[in-house]
């Protein structure tokens, strides 16, 4: 009799351990599904629970216990999301009410995400489909009650989004190029230049960046070659991936930006000009530039660097509000352009 009772007790204990393991496994599965964005209803829970338990009774109590355990752990660990429980809507059956994880409301984050969305939309970098996808990714980082505020805040900007009608999909190319950079691989790709002429290239991407409405990919034909710039939207196909090598020198994006923020044409030059417009305006146009006041005339003199063609275009656009004083070669070109303009009107 004692032996039978002992066996029964051991079976009961074993059953409790089995039930506990099944309960832990079920809650972990529910949590993972919620983290992956799945929406859980009581009916859905019944399907999941059926994988780990055969109990016919008490499922309602187990469901509420599972939900309470998940909510408590999210709160105790300070996780950035919370379990959203459904409203008490009598028109929705209890077994169809949705439970899901949503971001915790954060006013500062909402403002930051709205700002990011406006910057992204102003870039005109992607076609409308990919831009909508990117905006949706930003929206999904917010709590549900913040998402409506987000949509209202960017509605005008998104509704007036303008980009080239021929802009191809770019995000998949960005993924492939990112992987090639990380693995130091070479790419064989088809490229269509500004004149529309197609050509095959083989080069190794080193980095990529965004500037003036376009993504640019920095590549080298060989590890010791000078860098070449390719516009991502002109790549029409990536045909092959090959092993590559580390470049012998690194491309310096900061230096490039200081020289090409206007137009990436011409040789880098250092130049000086007198400035009768707001000095800060000129300084912002030429990152890394410096300003001093001529003690004799009180006029601001700015020293800057850029690629010659881009600098020339900006300086000409300022008319009589700037006067180039060095180098002589740039002064000569400025004079020639202004004289040619006067001649046009004569």
């Amino acid at each position: 009799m004692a032996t039978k009772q002992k066996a029964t007790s051991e079976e009961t204990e074993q059953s409790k351990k089995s039930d506990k393991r099944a309960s832990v496994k079920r809650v972990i599965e529910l949590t993972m599904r919620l983290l992956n964005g799945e929406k859980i209803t009581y009916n859905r829970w019944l399907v999941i629970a059926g994988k780990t338990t055969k109990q016919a009774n008490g499922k309602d109590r187990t469901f509420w216990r599972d939900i309470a355990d998940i909510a408590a752990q999210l709160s105790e660990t300070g996780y950035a999301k919370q379990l959203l429980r459904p409203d008490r809507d009598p028109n929705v059956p209890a077994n169809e009410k949705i439970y899901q994880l949503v971001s915790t409301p954060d006013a500062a984050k909402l403002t930051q995400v709205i700002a990011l969305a406006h910057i992204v939309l102003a870039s005109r970098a992607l076609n409308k489909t990919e831009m909508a996808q990117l905006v949706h990714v930003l929206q999904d980082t917010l709590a549900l009650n913040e998402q409506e505020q987000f949509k209202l805040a960017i509605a005008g900007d998104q509704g007036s989004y303008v980009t080239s009608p021929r802009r191809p999909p770019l995000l998949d190319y960005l993924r492939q190029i990112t992987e090639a950079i990380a693995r130091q691989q070479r790419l064989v790709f088809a490229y269509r230049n500004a004149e529309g002429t197609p050509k095959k290239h083989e080069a190794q991407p080193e980095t990529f960046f965004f500037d003036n409405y376009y993504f640019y990919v920095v590549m080298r034909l060989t590890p010791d070659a000078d860098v070449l710039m390719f516009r991502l939207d002109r790549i029409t196909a990536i045909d092959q991936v090959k092993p590559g090598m580390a470049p012998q020198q690194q491309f310096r994006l900061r230096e490039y930006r200081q020289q090409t923020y206007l137009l990436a044409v011409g040789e880098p030059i250092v130049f000086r000009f007198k400035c009768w417009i707001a000095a800060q305006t000129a300084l912002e146009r030429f990152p890394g530039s410096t300003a001093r006041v001529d003690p004799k005339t009180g006029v601001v003199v700015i020293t800057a660097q850029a690629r010659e063609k881009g600098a020339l275009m900006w300086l000409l656009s300022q008319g009589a509000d700037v006067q180039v004083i060095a180098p002589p070669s740039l002064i000569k070109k400025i004079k020639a352009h202004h004289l040619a303009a006067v001649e046009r009107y004569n």
Side-chain angles (χ1 to χ4, degrees), residues 136-175:
H136 191 71
V137 169
L138 290 173
Q139 177 182 310
D140 278 351
T141 65
L142 300 170
L144 287 183
N145 63 331
E146 293 174 323
Q147 291 185 13
E148 288 303 318
Q149 298 178 58
F150 171 80
K151 287 190 283 188
L152 285 172
I154 68 164
D157 204 351
Q158 189 171 15
S160 58
Y161 181 67
V162 177
T163 189
S164 169
R166 294 177 293 177
R167 182 86 70 180
L170 300 180
L171 294 181
D172 190 52
Y173 286 157
L174 278 179
R175 177 188 58 79

Side-chain angles (χ1 to χ4, degrees), residues 14 65 91 99 106 186 227 234 333 339:
Q14 190 65 30
R65 188 161 56 247
N91 298 317
Y99 297 78
D106 185 334
R186 296 174 63 79
V227 296
R234 290 179 178 163
K333 290 179 180 179
L339 288 172

Side-chain angles (χ1 to χ4, degrees), residues 7 28 115 117 154 229 321:
I28 290 174
I154 68 164
M229 299 289 172
D321 288 329

Side-chain angles (χ1 to χ4, degrees), residues 105-324:
D106 185 334
K109 181 181 177 181
L110 172 62
T111 303
Q112 292 163 358
V113 174
I114 289 173
L116 282 173
H118 281 295
I119 293 170
V120 167
L121 288 163
S123 74
R124 294 165 46 187
L126 304 171
N127 63 32
K128 288 189 176 182
T129 299
E130 289 189 325
M131 183 57 72
Q133 293 170 354
L134 196 56
V135 169
H136 191 71
V137 169
L138 290 173
Q139 177 182 310
D140 278 351
T141 65
L142 300 170
L144 287 183
N145 63 331
E146 293 174 323
Q147 291 185 13
E148 288 303 318
Q149 298 178 58
F150 171 80
K151 287 190 283 188
L152 285 172
I154 68 164
D157 204 351
Q158 189 171 15
S160 58
Y161 181 67
V162 177
T163 189
S164 169
R166 294 177 293 177
R167 182 86 70 180
L170 300 180
L171 294 181
D172 190 52
Y173 286 157
L174 278 179
R175 177 188 58 79
Q176 294 180 68
I177 289 168
T178 300
E179 291 175 357
I181 292 170
R183 298 169 184 171
Q184 293 187 345
Q185 295 172 327
R186 296 174 63 79
L187 300 178
V188 179
F189 59 97
Y191 189 80
R192 193 177 299 276
N193 64 19
E195 289 72 36
T197 305
K199 186 178 180 181
K200 285 280 186 179
H201 293 274
E202 180 177 331
Q204 182 170 329
E206 186 174 327
T207 188
F208 65 85
F209 60 93
F210 179 81
D211 193 29
N212 292 330
Y213 306 125
Y214 302 105
F215 284 100
Y216 292 89
V217 187
V218 179
M219 300 200 196
R220 296 182 196 267
L221 298 179
T222 61
D224 59 345
D226 290 335
V227 296
L228 297 174
M229 299 289 172
F230 294 90
R231 255 179 46 185
L232 183 64
D233 60 302
R234 290 179 178 163
I235 294 177
T236 57
I238 296 177
D239 300 319
Q240 195 175 354
V241 179
K242 297 181 177 181
M245 297 176 62
Q248 294 185 7
Q249 55 182 332
Q250 292 295 321
F251 172 74
R252 299 181 183 277
L253 181 57
R254 180 177 179 179
E255 293 179 3
Y256 179 83
R257 286 194 185 280
Q258 289 179 339
Q259 298 171 352
T260 61
Y261 50 89
L262 290 172
L263 189 65
V265 178
E267 293 298 318
I269 61 168
V270 176
F271 57 101
R272 296 200 311 277
F273 61 95
K274 294 180 179 180
C275 182
W276 285 274
I277 62 172
Q280 189 61 37
T281 300
L283 291 170
E284 289 174 355
R285 298 296 276 177
F286 298 92
S289 58
T290 59
R292 67 175 180 84
V293 177
D294 188 327
K296 294 181 179 180
T297 63
V299 176
V300 174
V301 176
I302 292 178
T303 302
Q305 62 177 355
R307 289 190 180 263
E308 189 180 74
K309 185 70 173 181
L312 188 63
M313 289 181 63
W314 186 83
L315 291 165
L316 287 169
S317 72
Q318 301 307 304
D321 288 329
V322 298
Q323 179 191 356
V324 177

